[in-house]
Amino acid sequence: MQKLRGFVLIEAMVALVVSVVGLLGIALFSSQLFSETTNSKARAEAIVVAQKEMELLRHYAGQYELASIATVSVPWPSQSTYISTNQSYSVGGSLASESGGSCPGSGNKCSAVIEVSWGEPGALESVQLSTIIVSDIFDSTAVNGTGTGVVVGGNPYAIDPPSGNAQYGDDAQGGVLPSGLSLETVTVSSAVGSSEIRLLGEVESVTKELLTYSGTAFAEIRGVVYVDNASTTLSESDLGTIVIRPSDTGVCPKGPAKSITGSDDWFFEYRCFFGDGWYGSIQVSVVTGDSFETDKTQCVGDPTVLSNDGTLVSRHAQIAVGAVRRYRGYSIAYGESGPLFDGSGNLLLVTHGMDAGDVYGYGTALTGQDLIVGDGQHDFVLVSNQGGGSVSTDAECETRLGSAVNSVAYTSYIPGFTAGFENFVGNTGDYVCLEVNGTRNCPTAVTSIDSEEVSAAVVSITGAITAPEDFTSAALFSTTSQFPTGLISPCYRLDDGSCDPERVTPINVCSNDAETFSCSVFTSVSGSGWSGTITHTISGADFSICDPLGGVESITASSPSGHDITVVSGSCAINYLGNYDLILTNGMGNKVTIKGDSVTYTGNAIVSCGDVDDTNDYINIADGAVAPTLSGLCSVNAGDLSLSDTITVGSLTADVTAITPASGGSGGSISATLQP
């Protein structure tokens, strides 16, 4: 019996030793797991702190002169330490000019680095983010200027930061999208138990949260990236190395890759999502390991636009300045007496971001969204600026853009984009003017984005009105080619520097008192003239504008005054009989094809028209482009033409915008714009 009891005791001791060893292993494993979990949480918190400081810095760059940032007057980083529930962080940052000296040096942009560190001495860990900040020439950075009697050392208008009002999702912190994410899996969903919406995607059947927004619809920019294989040596298998990066809070899912028949080139679609208030830039980059390749850049613009018109928004073929496409919208600073100016006479402009739900680029608007018509395409050609196939000039970009075509149908993942990508006709340049409250207020005459001042001034175009005694000012509405809607968005400054949200009603660019009219246009240099067109229209059928005929007049820089208008009761005594050229402009918001289409004129006159020429010149006419003139297409046999007339081209409708009478001969012309 004693032997049996001894055996039981030995067995119990062995079991105890095994249990102790196992418990020690579990304890060690749990300790390591806890340490790794704590470190991962600390790193995630550090990234968030760094991102917030970067967004604050970009906000400062739009509000203050660069030289004043990171000084006593504008401290940055905003805090040297950050303490969370479980960790204490040290925050440090630095700014340097392009040459490595003090910011901004002799230029207008600086490199910035933010570092957040944590841990014990000798075992510190850290995260580091870097970016480039640029002085925004339109952000009222006037020194010693005044607006409504208030000194404005920098921009006095406190607008939303350019990050907009969206937030990165749990699975896309810092805008870094999950590996393997493709545009085809991206959806928008309402958050359960919340008023916010979420941008979601799937990777290996796992749902990922990319972006959240407390609004009804995301704002979007949609387009295509065309990869020039001969220049970049990138193939479709390299899709994962290409990153589309917005400058601030927003994400740009892409793909899948699409082949080009008979070529090693290829392309893919992208959609960038934002909350309202976002403005900034979008860049296409190639990532190798942990770094961005510096030898890649982008060609943008329209290869059929052969010359630079000298404005920021020129659509000629071009190398994207800074390898980015910039997006900005502006309001004009207003006081009770009108536009505000700085001490040097420069107009004060206020930067604005995208309106909620605005969509720029291809396709159709979804629920709650608004497709911006007449905006053009937002496509890139990715090229290299080094090596044998390098592209370094606008002329070389023109060649690459002209040859970047696709003739094969494919499945698009952009809503309503059934036609798919075909070519770069109608593509935007490297600067896009955003709509603000339905109008575009960018001073397109400013010729350089690197200017250090807001160099925009007001020019008044004036003229006398000769009209019957019963003519009233309410019957005349005038617009300029600079602001075709005839409206501008004002920003009335409140005491705290913000724009009054109750006073956002657009202001007429032109005004009249039934005896004289005046239109305000904005130019790059104070005292300079302006060239463009002014269009006058009459409401109601009681009056007609006989001079200028059709109400449209061209203005030259040397003649801001003396642009008189003659208004008569009823119709003008004009001989409209004869043959007319037809000039069609595409205002559909996308490309159109009218090759061989029948043309029907609708109005009070008896007009017969032939068909559109059966040539390729009338295929894929870009949005905003003017089709080749259809010489002698229409004949007026009786009656009067009117700007209220319409023209049907195939299944499309065009509004008549200008008329040059034939006067019984064959020199007449009718201009019309295709409408969606």
Side-chain angles (χ1 to χ4, degrees), residues 15 40 75 104 128 193 229 314 498 511:
S40 296
Q128 189 179 89
N229 172 266
S314 177
S498 64
S511 61

Side-chain angles (χ1 to χ4, degrees), residues 232-597:
T232 64
T233 71
L234 296 172
S235 63
E236 293 180 41
S237 61
D238 295 310
L239 175 64
T241 68
I242 301 176
V243 177
I244 304 174
R245 301 186 299 162
S247 55
D248 281 284
T249 308
V251 294
C252 301
K254 67 178 189 301
K258 304 293 184 181
S259 301
I260 301 292
T261 302
S263 173
D264 291 329
D265 294 350
W266 51 286
F267 69 93
F268 59 87
E269 298 175 336
Y270 73 88
R271 294 171 68 185
C272 292
F273 295 84
F274 308 97
D276 68 286
W278 179 90
Y279 69 86
S281 59
I282 293 178
Q283 180 176 23
V284 182
S285 304
V286 178
V287 180
T288 301
D290 295 327
S291 62
F292 291 95
E293 295 185 7
T294 59
D295 66 332
K296 301 297 188 297
T297 190
Q298 301 94 43
C299 288
V300 294
D302 184 334
T304 65
V305 178
L306 302 181
S307 61
N308 184 346
D309 65 11
T311 71
L312 285 174
V313 294
S314 177
R315 292 194 176 191
H316 70 287
Q318 59 197 270
I319 294 280
V321 174
V324 297
R325 177 179 277 132
R326 296 170 176 84
Y327 294 83
R328 295 285 193 281
Y330 300 96
S331 288
I332 295 174
Y334 259 75
E336 298 303 328
S337 60
L340 302 180
F341 299 83
D342 66 16
S344 301
N346 297 319
L347 185 73
L348 291 175
L349 302 179
V350 184
T351 312
H352 276 268
M354 300 176 75
D355 288 339
D358 279 356
V359 177
Y360 291 80
Y362 292 121
T364 57
L366 302 177
T367 302
Q369 291 184 323
D370 179 26
L371 183 67
I372 305 302
V373 176
D375 178 62
Q377 301 162 208
H378 297 255
D379 302 336
F380 300 87
V381 170
L382 184 62
V383 295
S384 175
N385 55 25
Q386 299 177 21
S390 66
V391 177
S392 57
T393 67
D394 289 355
E396 290 172 334
C397 267
E398 181 183 320
T399 300
R400 300 302 172 111
L401 289 163
S403 62
V405 297
N406 172 54
S407 59
V408 178
Y410 66 95
T411 300
S412 172
Y413 294 102
I414 294 176
F417 188 32
T418 55
F421 166 73
E422 295 173 336
N423 55 54
F424 279 80
V425 177
N427 193 40
T428 59
D430 62 5
Y431 194 94
V432 176
C433 181
L434 299 174
E435 280 194 1
V436 177
N437 297 325
T439 64
R440 286 187 172 94
N441 300 322
C442 300
T444 55
V446 177
T447 58
S448 173
I449 196 166
D450 294 324
S451 173
E452 296 179 357
E453 295 183 350
V454 179
S455 51
V458 176
V459 173
S460 293
I461 308 298
T462 61
I465 301 173
T466 301
E469 291 185 0
D470 57 343
F471 178 77
T472 64
S473 61
L476 178 67
F477 183 71
S478 305
T479 66
T480 68
S481 55
Q482 186 177 53
F483 299 120
T485 63
L487 304 170
I488 54 178
S489 296
C491 171
Y492 288 95
R493 184 178 180 274
L494 297 175
D495 291 339
D496 64 359
S498 64
C499 299
D500 188 345
E502 302 298 324
R503 303 179 70 181
V504 296
T505 302
I507 294 174
N508 289 334
V509 172
C510 303
S511 61
N512 79 86
D513 60 5
E515 295 181 355
T516 61
F517 81 91
S518 176
C519 293
S520 296
V521 295
F522 303 96
T523 65
S524 58
V525 180
S526 180
S528 66
W530 175 80
S531 297
T533 59
I534 290 183
T535 301
H536 306 283
T537 56
I538 295 289
S539 59
D542 296 335
F543 302 98
S544 299
I545 298 176
C546 298
D547 185 20
L549 187 61
V552 180
E553 182 176 9
S554 296
I555 309 296
T556 62
S558 60
S559 59
S561 61
H563 301 281
D564 301 341
I565 307 172
T566 300
V567 179
V568 301
S569 297
S571 300
C572 302
I574 297 171
N575 179 8
Y576 286 102
L577 302 182
N579 298 321
Y580 286 77
D581 299 340
L582 180 59
I583 304 169
L584 293 172
T585 299
N586 179 15
M588 294 291 294
N590 49 45
K591 297 177 183 177
V592 297
T593 295
I594 56 174
K595 175 183 177 181
D597 284 352

Side-chain angles (χ1 to χ4, degrees), residues 108-150:
N108 76 320
K109 59 183 177 181
C110 303
S111 60
V113 176
I114 188 77
E115 183 174 28
V116 180
S117 58
W118 70 97
E120 300 298 327
L124 289 176
E125 297 194 55
S126 66
V127 296
Q128 189 179 89
L129 299 180
S130 61
T131 190
I132 299 292
I133 57 172
V134 180
S135 176
D136 191 336
I137 64 169
F138 298 133
D139 272 346
S140 308
T141 54
V143 180
N144 299 322
T146 59
T148 59
V150 179

